[in-house]
């Protein structure tokens, strides 16, 4: 990893850490849906070990690959977070930061709380899969997790408040340069905090902990939804009036990971409300919710691909001489489609009885989702080679 002091760093490089964290989650999905975990809402170390010991060769290979994938991409997530924090420290107080804070790009700084929230989630996955006996003390960990996410959310709200305070009191928002959904990054950060908070709602057996988690995650859900709606309106208006900003075109697909995160948040809340507060969501309601989310994601995916092709984005920013940290925004849509697709297939289609678990249709759909996961992995490795070399980062992105 090159020295960040010698690099043309941008806050959008935090998305490299976020993308690696997302890939960690994709491998966790294998264990979540394909390893039995009686007695807990998520697979734990003992479930994984038992399934591996009793499994057939193909099952063992799946578990081994999933565990390896979690370990590798969790390491990548955390190492890239540390690298970015060092780079951010060098960036702080510079003229480049001052210029950024006077522009639309000020919201790029919210990639920091987004990355921190993702890494906290990754930490939980590592604990569940690799730490024996974690569940015996998990009720002590949930309050700590709530505090960590709440502090991260406070940072996100502070940064968002600084941006809104400036543009709403001083003006200066450049609509001509806003031809994208780049301003939805704050919504993504708030949603990531919310989904982290909702984990305690779904998994805690303590009513007070689950109740606090439901309330706090609901707050960040609404904050994210409001910011996303406003940002989408501003982005669409700017694109229709001034055209799309070519370098920021990947942000058109930020709706995909945003909806995945908010969708998981709602599923976790539903589980907690059912377990503790008498709330009930039948399989039909879950099917409709997930299908609508997945449908919107596919539509925005098609729109994003069409715009990228028409603009020649790949030739310039993926294969050409220009490097853009915003290219890492292309990783999140594929990761999010895979994760939401796994929920749609298993909780939606199988849960409602439309397809049989582990039948031909099930494995066909699952194979398509794994293909999306593989493409996302290939993209991350390619971008890392392209961007995280001393020779590359020593030049302006």
């Amino acid at each position: 990893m090159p020295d960040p002091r010698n690099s043309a760093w941008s806050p959008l490089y935090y998305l490299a850490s976020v993308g690696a964290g997302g890939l960690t989650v994709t491998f966790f999905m294998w264990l979540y849906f394909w390893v039995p975990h009686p007695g807990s809402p998520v697979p734990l170390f003992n479930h994984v070990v038992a399934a591996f010991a009793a499994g057939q060769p193909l099952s063992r290979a799946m578990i081994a690959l999933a565990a390896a994938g979690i370990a590798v991409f969790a390491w990548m997530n955390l190492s890239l977070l540390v690298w970015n924090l060092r780079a951010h420290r060098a960036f702080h107080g510079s003229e480049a930061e001052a210029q950024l804070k006077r522009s639309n790009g000020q919201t790029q700084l919210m990639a920091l709380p987004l990355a921190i929230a993702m890494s906290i989630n990754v930490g939980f996955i590592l604990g569940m899969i690799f730490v024996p006996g974690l569940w015996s003390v998990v009720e002590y960990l949930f309050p700590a997790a709530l505090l960590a996410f709440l502090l991260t959310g406070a940072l996100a709200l502070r940064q968002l408040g600084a941006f809104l305070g400036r543009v709403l009191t001083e003006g200066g928002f450049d609509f001509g340069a806003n031809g994208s959904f780049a301003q939805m990054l704050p919504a993504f950060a708030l949603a990531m905090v919310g989904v982290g908070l909702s984990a305690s709602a779904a998994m805690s057996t303590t009513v007070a902990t689950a109740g606090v988690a439901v309330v706090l995650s609901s707050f960040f859900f609404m904050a994210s939804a409001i910011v996303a709606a406003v940002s989408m309106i501003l982005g669409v208006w700017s694109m229709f009036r001034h055209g799309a900003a070519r370098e920021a075109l990947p942000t058109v697909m930020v709706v995909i990971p945003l909806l995945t995160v908010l969708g998981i948040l709602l599923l976790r809340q539903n589980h907690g409300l059912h377990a503790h507060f008498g709330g009930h969501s039948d399989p039909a309601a879950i099917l409709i919710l997930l299908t609508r989310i997945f449908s919107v994601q596919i539509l925005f995916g098609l729109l994003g691909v069409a715009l990228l092709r028409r603009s020649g984005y790949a030739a310039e920013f993926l294969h050409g001489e220009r490097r853009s940290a915003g290219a890492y925004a292309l990783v999140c849509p594929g990761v999010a489609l895979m994760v939401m697709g796994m929920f749609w297939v298993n909780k939606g289609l199988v849960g409602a009885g439309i397809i049989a678990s582990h039948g031909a249709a099930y494995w066909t759909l699952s194979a398509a989702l794994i293909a999306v996961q593989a493409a996302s992995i290939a993209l991350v490795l390619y971008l890392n080679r392209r961007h995280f070399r001393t020779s590359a980062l020593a030049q302006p992105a």
Side-chain angles (χ1 to χ4, degrees):
M1 196 72 70
D3 186 341
R5 293 172 297 181
N6 299 326
S7 67
W9 183 79
S10 161
L12 293 179
Y13 274 119
Y14 279 115
L15 297 180
S17 175
V18 173
L23 288 173
T24 306
V25 177
T26 63
F27 281 104
F28 179 72
M29 289 293 99
W30 292 18
L31 302 179
Y32 181 70
F33 288 114
W34 297 337
V35 169
H37 42 92
S40 75
V42 290
L44 303 171
F45 174 84
N46 60 298
H47 299 125
V48 174
V49 170
F52 185 86
Q56 299 298 317
L58 187 60
S59 177
R60 289 187 173 188
M62 179 275 293
I63 293 171
L65 185 57
I70 290 171
V72 168
F73 286 105
W75 172 84
M76 187 182 296
N77 163 262
L78 296 172
S79 63
L80 284 172
L81 176 63
V82 171
W83 181 88
N84 275 289
L85 289 172
R86 291 176 60 206
H88 199 163
R89 183 173 59 186
F91 180 77
H92 182 66
S94 66
E95 178 58 28
E97 183 188 46
Q99 291 179 2
L100 186 70
K101 288 183 176 181
R102 293 192 296 265
S103 70
N104 292 6
Q106 184 177 2
T107 53
Q108 293 178 13
L109 295 169
M110 292 192 66
L112 169 59
L114 171 63
I116 292 173
M118 173 60 85
S119 292
I120 297 173
N121 284 311
V122 167
F124 258 89
I125 290 175
L126 289 173
M128 288 185 291
I129 301 304
F130 295 111
V131 178
L134 180 71
W135 213 246
S136 63
V137 297
V138 75
E139 290 300 332
Y140 298 100
L141 298 179
F142 285 138
L146 289 174
L147 179 60
F149 280 115
L150 197 57
L151 291 174
T152 306
L155 172 62
L157 291 172
R158 179 181 177 183
Q159 291 179 330
L160 179 60
F163 170 72
L164 292 177
R166 178 178 65 82
V167 298
L168 293 178
T169 60
E170 302 174 11
F173 187 80
D174 188 349
F175 285 93
N178 189 48
S180 68
F181 285 167
Q183 297 304 319
M184 291 187 70
L185 180 60
F188 192 13
L190 294 169
M192 190 64 72
V193 171
V195 78
L197 290 167
S198 68
S200 297
M203 293 186 283
S204 178
T205 58
T206 304
V207 174
T209 301
V212 169
V214 168
V215 171
L216 292 176
S217 60
S218 295
F219 172 85
F220 282 95
F221 177 94
M222 294 307 301
S224 175
I226 292 171
V227 172
V230 173
S231 300
M232 183 176 292
I233 293 170
L234 293 176
V236 170
W237 185 88
S238 294
M239 283 189 280
F240 272 102
R241 185 174 179 84
H242 303 285
R246 192 176 185 186
E247 188 173 353
L249 276 177
T251 64
V252 172
M253 293 187 285
V254 75
V255 174
I256 299 173
L258 176 65
L259 287 177
T260 289
V261 172
L262 292 179
I264 295 173
L265 187 159
L266 290 175
L267 289 177
R268 286 176 169 179
Q269 285 188 338
N270 284 339
H271 183 83
L273 292 171
H274 171 75
H276 297 291
F277 306 107
H280 301 285
S281 293
D282 56 53
I286 298 297
L287 171 66
I288 291 298
L289 171 66
L290 296 177
T291 301
R292 288 172 177 169
I293 291 175
F294 202 46
S295 298
V296 175
Q297 290 178 314
I298 291 174
L299 288 171
F300 272 93
L302 294 173
L303 174 62
V305 169
L307 291 177
L308 291 171
R309 285 181 175 176
R310 185 175 180 85
S311 70
Y313 180 90
E316 182 170 2
F317 295 105
L318 295 182
H319 308 301
E321 294 183 0
R322 295 188 64 186
R323 283 174 293 275
S324 172
Y328 276 97
L330 293 171
V331 176
C332 295
V335 167
L337 271 179
M338 187 276 182
V339 173
M340 180 50 64
M342 291 289 281
F343 278 97
W344 179 63
V345 170
N346 290 274
K347 298 290 188 180
L349 299 180
V350 174
I354 295 177
I355 64 173
S357 179
H358 300 82
Y362 178 90
W363 287 119
T364 299
L365 292 170
S366 298
L369 296 173
I370 292 174
V372 174
Q373 179 187 20
S376 300
I377 292 172
L379 178 59
V380 164
L381 297 179
Y382 173 78
L383 289 175
N384 285 353
R385 287 195 302 270
R386 181 174 172 82
H387 287 261
F388 290 98
R389 299 176 304 182
T390 302
S391 59
L393 283 174
Q395 304 171 19

